Amino acid sequence: MATIAETENEIVEDFAMFDQWDDKYQYIIDLGKTLAPMNAEWKTDDRLIKGCQSRVWLYTELKDGKVVYHADSDAIITKGIVALMVRVLSEHTPKEIVDAPLDFIEKIGLKEHLSPTRANGLLSMVKQMKLDALALTAKN
Amino acid sequence: MNTPSSIPVTFSVTKVRADFPILTQSVNGKPLVYFDSGATAQKPKQVIDAIHAYYSSYNANIHRGVHHLSQVASAAYENARKKVQKHLNAADENEIIFTAGTTASVNLIAEAFLRSRLNPGDEVVITGMEHHSNILPWQQLCHEKNATLKVVSVNDDGSLDMNHFASLLNSKVKLVSCTHVSNTLGTINPVKEITSAAHAMGIPVFIDGAQAVPHMKADVQEIGCDFYAFSGHKVYGPTGIGVCYVKQSRYSEMSTWQTGGGTIKTVTFEKTEYVDGPLKYEAGTPNIEGAIGLGYALDYINAIGMEVIAAHEQELLVYTTQRLHEFENVEIIGNAEHKAGVISFNVKGVHPFDVGTILDQQGIAVRTGHHCTQPLMQRYNVPGTVRVSFGVYNTKDDSDRLIAALEKAIKMLS
Ligand SMILES: Cc1ncc(COP(=O)(O)O)c(C=O)c1O
């Protein structure tokens, strides 16, 4: 299993192939379309991430000491970005997740989505993923 | 929809655009198309220069000093009030209170006018298409006073259900508040008719003119309303300044709200005698630069002419609506007969946020989301809309750019 840093590098390499904005966004859109569907009963209001213009649900569980994320969004671009985050962070230990610098976001030119004022709330998403991981550490 | 009346040959949108320095820039490598004037309008250099001139040559506190600069600044501030009076065709300049904006104006009337008149069991009537700023202050007060907020239904086409409105009027209603133009649907409401119906029952009327004043002639005497509010920043003026028109006869029914420096005749520790008129409601050092800038903004649009602006924007509205109809899967939300300034739409099966993001990548600035009208979104059962809003500087070319960018967005997203 690749480390978080290795997956980040893979994604950075993928994105390096795109020199047009539309290729990059098409890739994110297509990722959104392929994200595994989330169990409907997990899509409850208390799992909505606040600060997003679109709705983003996040369900986090611990399996064999590893954090597993399930996520969905009603906007496809947001869903694509969620899919990227899940690909990077899922199935790692809480500590690895909490410590991850996640600088790939800047490297692939999605930094604008990290702005606290950005309506898709990638920042809130990242925070919630780390908070959930932290909560699961505390439980163990 | 209104057919555009003729636009005089003297109107040149190219000349207008040259007045707005911000419009020449590129966004994401493409020339900016600014279709978000409903959120805030861009500022012409006449306004920017006026603010610059204020700070570089006559900044001083007003209504206080005997010295020269203070008198120049005070005169400029009061002159701005006259410009607003003239623009709204208010009977007297004392009917114009400067506030921080529409939201502040609603809060002012809720606190200084309605609070003391609202009793348990009373009602306040608003409509289903109000901006949160014209809901929350009334809702809050109703909760506190055990009064009820009643809401006029919105028809499918985005017009108000006037029969429902009529049925809500009764002796328990202490205020009717209604938007002149919907910031989400673009609907122009029959505010004159609404006012006369309410007045026939002795009910005072507040009109939210935030989305009307930028696009059309708004005449408070013709409407007949008791209160009328708008924001400077949506009429090409600065942010943080707005207006609350109060009909002269209503002043005697208003209590003080925020008090402090500038509102008084005499103060002792036991009691204070307040001034009459607008200054009573402009406590503290006001937004002097804002008022002056707003005055220049009104000069600017009046030099073009409100009829000309209205006709130009109607033409854009009709043209853009027609072009949007070229897409089978685009649904326009709000198809009332009388509309101004705004088109809301959705692409079937696509989230408005996605559309907005792809448009932004192509240099097109639109707004997506609920537009501070969540109850209205619930009415139409949509998570939000993509909103195109027009300003005097927009062109058919802007609309064509929007359509091309939308075509690309739809291709990518579906
Ligand atoms: C219809 C309407 N009312 C009120 C407001 C609030 O205006 P402001 O934020 O300037 O106070 C707006 C602004 O979006 C509006 O469109």
Side-chain angles (χ1 to χ4, degrees):
Chain A
M1 171 97 205
T3 64
I4 290 181
E6 281 164 1
T7 316
E8 287 194 42
N9 282 336
E10 259 173 52
I11 293 173
V12 172
E13 273 165 33
D14 283 355
F15 273 77
M17 300 183 318
F18 309 135
D19 45 9
Q20 299 289 333
W21 70 271
D22 42 354
D23 294 335
K24 185 166 89 184
Y25 274 87
Q26 195 64 62
Y27 179 86
I28 294 170
I29 291 164
D30 294 342
L31 266 182
K33 288 179 182 159
T34 56
L35 182 67
M38 188 179 180
N39 200 333
E41 68 204 46
W42 292 338
K43 284 167 75 169
T44 52
D45 282 356
D46 59 331
R47 297 213 173 80
L48 276 175
I49 294 177
K50 294 186 182 66
C52 303
Q53 202 180 83
S54 49
R55 295 194 293 172
V56 183
W57 296 267
L58 179 68
Y59 180 74
T60 313
E61 58 180 350
L62 201 62
K63 266 189 184 161
D64 307 324
K66 302 268 174 80
V67 178
V68 179
Y69 292 106
H70 308 267
D72 199 359
S73 171
D74 55 357
I76 199 74
I77 293 173
T78 312
K79 200 167 161 179
I81 295 173
V82 170
L84 274 180
M85 297 308 305
V86 170
R87 179 169 150 203
V88 171
L89 293 179
S90 208
E91 297 185 42
H92 290 281
T93 67
K95 179 163 175 16
E96 285 165 345
I97 291 166
V98 173
D99 292 344
L102 299 176
D103 41 14
F104 81 103
I105 297 170
E106 189 167 345
K107 289 189 190 142
I108 62 177
L110 287 183
K111 188 173 152 227
E112 66 200 61
H113 289 271
L114 261 185
S115 136
T117 55
R118 187 78 191 184
N120 78 340
L122 176 55
L123 193 65
S124 326
M125 205 184 303
V126 171
K127 260 194 201 151
Q128 194 58 49
M129 291 176 98
K130 289 199 169 194
L131 273 177
D132 281 6
L134 206 61
L136 290 171
T137 343
K139 263 195 213 157
N140 276 273
Chain B
M1 211 167 286
N2 303 348
T3 29
S5 54
S6 61
I7 301 167
V9 283
T10 47
F11 175 73
S12 154
V13 72
T14 316
K15 242 174 76 195
V16 166
R17 290 181 69 83
D19 290 331
F20 291 82
I22 208 168
L23 295 178
T24 56
Q25 71 188 286
S26 286
V27 167
N28 290 319
K30 284 124 201 143
L32 167 68
V33 171
Y34 190 74
F35 269 145
D36 197 20
S37 299
T40 201
Q42 298 303 346
K43 322 304 173 198
K45 60 178 189 285
Q46 288 81 346
V47 168
I48 300 167
D49 290 350
I51 295 167
H52 186 260
Y54 166 68
Y55 281 121
S56 30
S57 57
Y58 62 101
N59 169 54
N61 211 330
I62 56 165
H63 299 146
R64 314 243 208 286
V66 290
H67 64 80
H68 171 73
L69 285 185
S70 174
Q71 300 202 352
V72 177
S74 302
Y77 183 79
E78 288 307 321
N79 191 35
R81 196 188 305 279
K82 287 198 192 92
K83 290 178 183 180
V84 175
Q85 176 214 340
K86 237 182 108 201
H87 190 76
L88 292 180
N89 189 32
D92 192 298
E93 65 196 72
N94 281 320
E95 295 179 319
I96 305 302
I97 301 173
F98 283 123
T99 66
T102 306
T103 307
S105 300
V106 180
N107 279 281
L108 168 67
I109 299 309
E111 293 301 319
F113 179 75
L114 189 60
R115 174 174 283 282
S116 61
R117 304 160 69 96
L118 197 66
N119 294 306
D122 283 347
E123 295 173 353
V124 174
V125 171
I126 62 169
T127 84
M129 63 174 85
E130 299 310 318
H131 186 280
H132 294 165
S133 288
N134 195 27
I135 303 175
L136 276 47
W138 315 122
Q139 184 185 58
Q140 180 84 8
L141 195 57
C142 284
H143 280 169
E144 206 182 304
K145 297 273 191 167
N146 271 318
T148 313
L149 195 63
K150 295 278 185 167
V151 183
V152 181
S153 308
V154 175
N155 294 320
D156 288 343
D157 72 352
S159 59
L160 283 178
D161 181 342
M162 291 301 285
N163 290 330
H164 186 227
F165 167 68
S167 75
L168 290 179
L169 297 181
N170 66 65
S171 60
K172 287 182 287 183
V173 178
K174 292 293 144 70
L175 185 87
V176 168
S177 186
C178 172
T179 194
H180 194 166
V181 171
S182 159
N183 66 309
T184 301
L185 306 171
T187 312
I188 304 174
N189 286 317
V191 286
K192 190 176 169 179
E193 194 183 329
I194 286 168
T195 303
S196 359
H199 279 179
M201 308 276 299
I203 305 163
V205 176
F206 183 104
I207 302 294
D208 172 353
Q211 296 292 341
V213 177
H215 305 297
M216 61 178 75
K217 183 95 197 98
D219 181 327
V220 290
Q221 292 195 72
E222 199 207 330
I223 298 166
C225 57
D226 304 273
F227 309 102
Y228 192 96
F230 73 93
S231 299
H233 69 97
K234 294 189 201 281
V235 283
Y236 312 99
T239 52
I241 187 79
V243 165
C244 188
Y245 156 83
V246 174
K247 196 191 269 174
Q248 189 79 52
S249 57
R250 290 292 178 191
Y251 268 119
S252 58
E253 299 170 62
M254 281 170 66
S255 51
T256 50
W257 180 34
Q258 293 179 331
T259 57
T263 63
I264 55 97
K265 282 184 195 152
T266 58
V267 178
T268 64
F269 281 119
E270 287 69 41
K271 89 181 226 309
T272 294
E273 205 186 330
Y274 289 94
V275 292
D276 295 321
L279 293 185
K280 186 173 173 181
Y281 301 97
E282 295 173 6
T285 300
N287 185 351
I288 305 168
E289 137 223 343
I292 293 170
L294 170 57
Y296 275 85
L298 296 179
D299 288 347
Y300 182 80
I301 53 179
N302 285 317
I304 298 170
M306 287 318 291
E307 281 81 12
V308 176
I309 292 174
H312 170 67
E313 292 181 0
Q314 275 299 319
E315 191 173 88
L316 284 175
L317 182 69
V318 171
Y319 178 72
T320 311
T321 303
Q322 270 166 4
R323 295 235 44 202
L324 284 169
H325 281 313
E326 290 169 16
F327 298 95
E328 262 170 32
N329 47 353
V330 166
E331 186 183 20
I332 294 178
I333 294 140
N335 295 290
E337 193 187 343
H338 303 289
K339 280 180 70 172
V342 166
I343 306 174
S344 260
F345 67 89
N346 270 323
V347 179
K348 282 189 195 121
V350 180
H351 198 284
F353 171 80
D354 290 326
V355 179
T357 303
I358 300 298
L359 292 181
D360 175 55
Q361 286 297 318
Q362 300 173 80
I364 319 279
V366 295
R367 175 145 295 218
T368 64
H370 53 67
H371 320 296
C372 292
T373 54
Q374 286 188 6
L376 187 64
M377 297 295 98
Q378 290 148 19
R379 156 72 179 78
Y380 284 99
N381 200 19
V382 290
T385 70
V386 181
R387 184 185 75 177
V388 174
S389 54
F390 303 102
V392 61
Y393 34 63
N394 287 120
T395 62
K396 280 190 179 169
D397 188 47
D398 287 346
S399 299
D400 291 338
R401 287 268 317 276
L402 166 77
I403 297 299
L406 182 61
E407 201 172 338
K408 172 138 190 143
I410 293 173
K411 215 174 269 160
M412 288 177 71
L413 289 162
S414 38

